[in-house]
Amino acid sequence: MSISLTELWVILGCGAITVLSRVLPFAFVKSLNMPAWLISFLSFVPITIMTALCCESLFVAHAGHLATLNVANCLAAIPATLAGVLTKSLLMVVVVGIMAMAVLRYFSIG
Amino acid sequence: MSPSLTFRTGVRDVLPTVFGYIGVGLAFGIVAHTSHLSLLVVAGLSFVVYAGSAQFIITSMLLLHDPLSAIFISTFLVNSRMILMSTSLAQYFKHESLTRNLLIGTLVTDETFALAMNKQNKTNGKLSFAWQSAANVVAYLVWGVSTVVGAILGGLIADPTRFGFDFALTAMFIGLVYLQLISDKHLGMTLQLSVMVFVALAYYFLIGVMSQNFALLVATVAGCLFGMELKKCR
């Protein structure tokens, strides 16, 4: 159990940066009336951010070159998506996804 | 997911996402352990910084002895998407007091944000302080505890990815994006699908020329602008 001065500063500094990024927008939105274009812009944030977060694990970046697919993740994504279509349950998507990945790893695929 | 917005429903709704937190939390603890961070530092990062992907980046930068300023800038860039999410989520809590808004804001994550967006599709655009706090607090505690347990187990488990738990987070986002797609009646399926394809293509081309975190942000903002224009045209 030890902590260096640098580590302490990193925890406090990054903590402050993160909490401000999260909290300041709440203070702004509470006190200001947002213009219609901003509300329209924000209505697309959920679908765009979730798509981008999915892409983050489905593509592998290569600096200066085109990205490639993360084969294991893409393969496991298929049964996971099917589970979503069939059950519309988040829990089932996660459980089927984990099981699919465990099977892929067992057979060393991807 | 039922339309109920009580604290108890919040706890129940957040449970499926807990798998993602446990999987990634354990992984973070193990990585932190192998990077020679003490339990105290792991707990500090998880309970004070509380920022999944940023914590991995901070750990590797600490290991490389990068300057504090570089660590701060990276953390800000990785978490700048929080600004978009918080602004988006805050609209649902305008009727609540400032204190309650700040409390909710303190613990918002990618996952609880996505969960809230799915929830409001079921409740005619309503969210409650009790429901959101339940989701936030459960996620916060599960994440913190998982990372600490991971750090303790660090020396014992050789390969935690063998059981597929690392895929939990990806699976969760796939589930959340699918549920968002089929339940957001306001934007509709066609418009959302077009935006998804646009974001995926933008992200694919952008990661070749910029860092993944930056590409995520640029693709998201570009996707929102694309969606706005498309909606105007139709």
Side-chain angles (χ1 to χ4, degrees):
Chain A
M1 278 285 191
S2 65
I3 183 165
S4 70
L5 198 59
T6 313
E7 287 169 338
L8 184 66
W9 276 117
V10 164
I11 290 172
L12 295 178
C14 293
I17 291 166
T18 310
V19 87
L20 287 178
S21 310
R22 283 176 173 143
V23 161
L24 285 182
F26 275 85
F28 275 119
V29 172
K30 175 78 187 156
S31 52
L32 299 171
N33 270 322
M34 292 205 286
W37 65 265
L38 186 57
I39 293 175
S40 170
F41 178 90
L42 291 171
S43 70
F44 288 97
V45 168
I47 191 79
T48 51
I49 256 181
M50 288 182 229
T51 307
L53 286 166
C54 285
C55 292
E56 205 175 18
S57 24
L58 298 180
F59 294 132
V60 184
H62 306 284
H65 297 277
L66 280 182
T68 50
L69 289 179
N70 181 326
V71 179
N73 281 359
C74 288
L75 286 177
I78 298 170
T81 310
L82 279 178
V85 174
L86 293 175
T87 64
K88 296 190 173 45
S89 145
L90 188 57
L91 187 60
M92 284 310 291
V93 178
V94 174
V95 170
V96 170
I98 291 176
M99 280 170 19
M101 185 52 92
V103 170
L104 288 170
R105 293 263 160 75
Y106 183 77
F107 293 107
S108 308
I109 302 169
Chain B
M1 220 183 263
S2 74
S4 158
L5 281 167
T6 60
F7 190 88
R8 188 187 283 263
T9 323
V11 173
R12 201 171 53 217
D13 288 344
V14 80
L15 283 183
T17 71
V18 159
F19 288 90
Y21 283 103
I22 296 175
V24 181
L26 287 176
F28 174 74
I30 292 165
V31 168
H33 173 87
T34 49
S35 311
H36 315 295
L37 295 189
S38 71
L39 276 183
L40 192 62
V41 178
V42 172
L45 285 173
S46 295
F47 286 107
V48 179
V49 184
Y50 186 44
S53 47
Q55 287 180 219
F56 281 94
I57 293 162
I58 294 169
T59 304
S60 70
M61 291 182 88
L62 274 174
L63 197 64
L64 296 168
H65 298 289
D66 279 328
L68 273 179
S69 55
I71 299 182
F72 290 160
I73 292 169
S74 304
T75 303
F76 175 74
L77 282 180
V78 177
N79 285 334
S80 48
R81 67 173 187 281
M82 301 302 316
I83 299 172
L84 279 177
M85 285 189 271
S86 281
T87 313
S88 197
L89 185 62
Q91 295 176 80
Y92 296 90
F93 297 100
K94 276 190 97 158
H95 60 282
E96 297 280 7
S97 68
L98 185 62
T99 319
R100 286 185 157 197
N101 269 277
L102 299 185
L103 283 175
I104 289 172
T106 311
L107 294 182
V108 175
T109 64
D110 295 338
E111 294 80 2
T112 53
F113 164 76
L115 197 68
M117 290 302 122
N118 271 304
K119 184 72 181 182
Q120 60 85 27
N121 283 324
K122 300 270 185 304
T123 59
N124 279 325
K126 282 195 180 55
L127 290 172
S128 75
F129 176 74
W131 183 88
Q132 189 69 51
S133 302
N136 282 354
V137 170
V138 170
Y140 177 69
L141 294 178
V142 170
W143 170 255
V145 171
S146 308
T147 59
V148 171
V149 171
I152 295 169
L153 292 179
L156 309 173
I157 304 175
D159 184 12
T161 62
R162 190 151 59 99
F163 304 107
F165 279 107
D166 56 317
F167 189 69
L169 198 71
T170 308
M172 190 186 67
F173 282 122
I174 290 173
L176 285 169
V177 81
Y178 175 72
L179 293 174
Q180 171 70 24
L181 178 68
I182 57 167
S183 51
D184 193 331
K185 300 285 186 289
H186 182 65
L187 293 178
M189 190 98 104
T190 331
L191 180 58
Q192 289 195 96
L193 270 176
S194 322
V195 172
M196 283 177 71
V197 171
F198 179 89
V199 171
L201 283 174
Y203 181 82
Y204 172 76
F205 287 112
L206 287 171
I207 43 174
V209 292
M210 56 179 77
S211 79
Q212 291 199 39
N213 295 306
F214 218 60
L216 186 106
L217 204 64
V218 176
T220 302
V221 172
C224 292
L225 294 172
F226 174 77
M228 280 169 79
E229 285 307 311
L230 207 61
K231 201 175 164 189
K232 255 187 249 169
C233 295
R234 296 185 329 143

